[in-house]
Structures are given as C-alpha cells and as structure tokens.
Amino acid sequence: MSGLTIKNVKKSYGAVDIIHGVDVDISDGEFVILVGPSGCGKSTLLRMIAGLEEITGGEISIGGRVVNNLQPKDRDIAMVFQNYALYPQMTVAQNMGFALELAGAKRPEIERKVGEAAQILGLQPLLGRKPAQLSGGQRQRVAMGRAIVRDPKVFLFDEPLSNLDAKLRVKMRAEIKALHQRLKTTIVYVTHDQIEAMTMADKIVVLQGGKVEQIGTPLELYDRPRNVFVAGFLGSPAMNFLEGRLTAGPKPTLVLPSGAQVELFDAPAQAEGKDVLIGIRPEDISFATDGGVPATVTVIEPTGSETHVALEVEGKELTWVMRERAELAPNQKVQLSFKSPNVHFFDKATQERL
C-alpha cells in the first residue's frame, strides 16, 4: 500500500505561521491535486511531503510509515519540478538513469528501466539527445521518465506545466492523466491553475492561507462549494455574486441594495429573510422573457463555440457565457434572468454555504 496521510501538519518560519494544521488522507493510487492562489502554502506542503522542508508540527505517513525524520532519498518518492532540473551535460538516457546509478543499480537493470519508461513516454528516438536539443514538452517527459524509473510509492509534481505554452499544456495534461491510469501510482500534484485541477484530479484539496477550505472530487467542489472562496476559485470564467436580502414566500426573491428584485428558481428555507450572497455560474445566466434584472453590456468576447459577455449590474461586473449567437453591442441594455436551479446561496456574514 502506498497511500499518504497528512495529519495536523504545521509549518512556521519563526513567528510566522505558513501552514495551519492541515489534514489530508490520500488513498493508494489516487491522483490528488493541491490547488489555491499564490502564497496559499501548496508548494510548501508538497516540499514537506518530499522532505525538502522540515515540518513544525504534525505527522506525514507514506505507505503507513511515518516519514517526518527521514531524508528525501529514504521516503520512496519521486518529484517532478517546475523547471525540470535536468543535467545539461547528460543525454536523455543518462538523465533518466542517473538516480538508479547513484543507488548502485547494475547497468542491465538501468537500461531495462530506462527503456521501459522511454517506451511509455515515447522518448525512444530522443535517448541520445541532450536537454538543449529538446522542446519544453520533451524535457517535461524526460523529467517524468526520470521519476518513473525509480518506481516510487508516490509521485510529487510541483507545477510541472507552468512553463509550457497553452496548447502544449493541454496536451501534457492528457499525457499525465494517461500515465496515471497506466501506472496506478499515488500522485500529489500542485498547481495554481484550477482548469488543471478540474480536468486531471480524482480529488482536489483547495487551500487558502495555509488552511484547507474543502476536499472533494472536481464535480463535488464545482456543484456544491462549501464557501464563497471555493465557489469563486473553481470555474472559468469565475462564478458571479450578488448580495441582497432573500424574501420569504412562494416565489423566492432577492432584493438588491438598490431595491431591485431578482426572481429565483428556488431557495433553501434557512436563507429566507437573511442577508445573503447568491452565486451563479456564467453559463447559468439567460435572457429574461418577462421582467428580469437590468444590465448593461460592457465587453463582448467571441471565442467561437461560445461568447463571453461582461455586464454591469448595479455597479458590479458580471460575466455571462452565451452558447447561442446573439447580436449584442457595448452599452446595450439587456434584461437578465437568474431563474436557474443551479444558483448557490451563501451567508453574507460568514461566507459559508446555506
């Protein structure tokens, strides 16, 4: 078994607390992504798992063994770094087999494992080249191959795609996901890109300020975010928010600060009569057939398959994703409907889900 347990782990630099008692259970063979804004502590947490940072408190276990006091080489992990960390004077084959050579493996074993990893990653034609002769995506595959040959219990990825262009990132996402499905090894992957998290992970850990905000599958977090931070962080374009007081009655209505009223599809009973924030995804907004919320179009961004429309509603900027093609122009007045069953309700004071 090669699961990973992070129990009440803390990290401080002097009097400054960076990680505030994080708890995460990762099952054997699970692909878990740590995601959050810059400075949230995700890379620090990954480096503590790897043994590159000492932990201030708590316990980290890999495969049932506490590794707090073990050196990185003794933790049976392999890490893929953001900058690939390849030796420029070595060939691809030498880079991939170097860790095995240091561990005292025999030449036939090194050649066998390097050959197997090269076949998995499509690197056979490149084994004699040096890193300077490779593209960014090829270097990334070499870094992954170097990790694969060690046959570790846990793979650690630290923002491995951040240096690649947008098209290559999409391709490498699919390659890493396919690699996980083939090897079935536990992976802990750090990114600030929530699209990577949504498309690749079995489970997402959302971090903010060194604390865990929510843990769940991508669709659990997308469909039922625990609080305003998670709701606004996951999803591209981001969720829209409007504040107001929710009236009681057969037709739930949000009364905005200006007095304008927003008719809703439904509302939880515990939200009635409260000051709330409602959250609505850009794709769940529609044209109002009768009444509706007045809005002004500010920017129109056609993407081909859909159109992103920036709107102003009572001084707030909202984003609307239209899948149908409509003739809109800047400064045009429109009426919007928020009568979607997918509207989310949050307590205005606590920012927690209602």
Side-chain angles (χ1 to χ4, degrees), residues 225-304:
R226 180 179 294 170
N227 54 38
V228 169
F229 174 78
V230 176
F233 188 81
L234 291 178
S236 181
M239 183 181 285
N240 300 297
F241 295 99
L242 286 173
E243 65 178 67
R245 177 168 285 268
L246 195 67
T247 62
K251 289 185 177 181
T253 302
L254 182 74
V255 181
L256 301 178
S258 68
Q261 298 188 353
V262 181
E263 291 186 16
L264 302 172
F265 179 83
D266 199 1
Q270 65 268 33
E272 291 184 355
K274 285 189 174 182
D275 290 328
V276 299
L277 286 170
I278 67 163
I280 185 165
R281 301 274 180 201
E283 64 269 23
D284 291 324
I285 297 174
S286 59
F287 277 118
T289 54
D290 56 336
V293 182
T296 303
V297 175
T298 57
V299 178
I300 303 157
E301 298 178 315
T303 67

Side-chain angles (χ1 to χ4, degrees), residues 7 12 16 20 23 42 61 63 84 112 136 150 190-191 197 233 243 257 264 267-268 279 285 339:
K7 186 177 180 182
S12 302
V16 181
H20 307 268
D23 293 289
K42 56 189 183 296
S61 301
Y84 319 136
R112 177 181 60 81
R150 297 180 57 192
V190 160
T191 182
F233 188 81
E243 65 178 67
L264 302 172
I285 297 174
K339 286 185 180 179

Side-chain angles (χ1 to χ4, degrees), residues 117-285:
Q119 185 176 12
I120 290 171
L121 296 166
L123 291 172
Q124 299 100 318
L126 308 177
L127 290 174
R129 295 189 189 181
K130 292 185 176 179
Q133 299 171 298
L134 305 177
S135 67
Q138 289 168 339
R139 292 178 194 179
Q140 185 57 266
R141 283 201 293 272
V142 174
M144 290 162 57
R146 184 177 54 191
I148 290 170
V149 299
R150 297 180 57 192
D151 192 23
K153 286 184 177 177
V154 178
F155 285 110
L156 305 178
F157 287 82
D158 188 11
E159 304 209 39
L161 308 184
S162 60
N163 291 335
L164 304 179
D165 62 59
K167 186 175 181 179
L168 191 51
R169 277 203 304 271
V170 173
K171 184 175 185 293
M172 290 302 299
R173 285 204 309 255
E175 288 192 11
I176 293 173
K177 186 71 174 177
L179 177 67
H180 175 252
Q181 291 167 352
R182 180 167 182 171
L183 299 179
K184 303 188 186 305
T185 305
T186 305
I187 291 179
V188 184
Y189 184 110
V190 160
T191 182
H192 65 275
D193 186 334
Q194 47 91 23
I195 296 295
E196 280 183 36
M198 290 293 296
T199 56
M200 297 171 68
D202 297 326
K203 184 164 69 181
I204 296 174
V205 180
V206 182
L207 293 163
Q208 183 192 28
K211 297 179 181 178
V212 173
E213 293 288 346
Q214 190 171 354
I215 300 174
T217 68
L219 290 181
E220 283 173 351
L221 270 58
Y222 190 84
D223 293 337
R224 290 195 60 80
R226 180 179 294 170
N227 54 38
V228 169
F229 174 78
V230 176
F233 188 81
L234 291 178
S236 181
M239 183 181 285
N240 300 297
F241 295 99
L242 286 173
E243 65 178 67
R245 177 168 285 268
L246 195 67
T247 62
K251 289 185 177 181
T253 302
L254 182 74
V255 181
L256 301 178
S258 68
Q261 298 188 353
V262 181
E263 291 186 16
L264 302 172
F265 179 83
D266 199 1
Q270 65 268 33
E272 291 184 355
K274 285 189 174 182
D275 290 328
V276 299
L277 286 170
I278 67 163
I280 185 165
R281 301 274 180 201
E283 64 269 23
D284 291 324
I285 297 174

Side-chain angles (χ1 to χ4, degrees), residues 285-336:
I285 297 174
S286 59
F287 277 118
T289 54
D290 56 336
V293 182
T296 303
V297 175
T298 57
V299 178
I300 303 157
E301 298 178 315
T303 67
S305 61
E306 56 192 25
T307 301
H308 295 192
V309 182
L311 305 150
E312 185 178 302
V313 176
E314 296 209 345
K316 292 184 178 293
E317 186 175 294
L318 274 64
T319 303
W320 178 16
V321 172
M322 300 176 63
R323 294 200 165 84
E324 69 275 15
R325 307 214 172 188
E327 294 295 329
L328 293 175
N331 300 317
Q332 182 176 340
K333 307 296 183 183
V334 294
Q335 298 287 321
L336 303 179

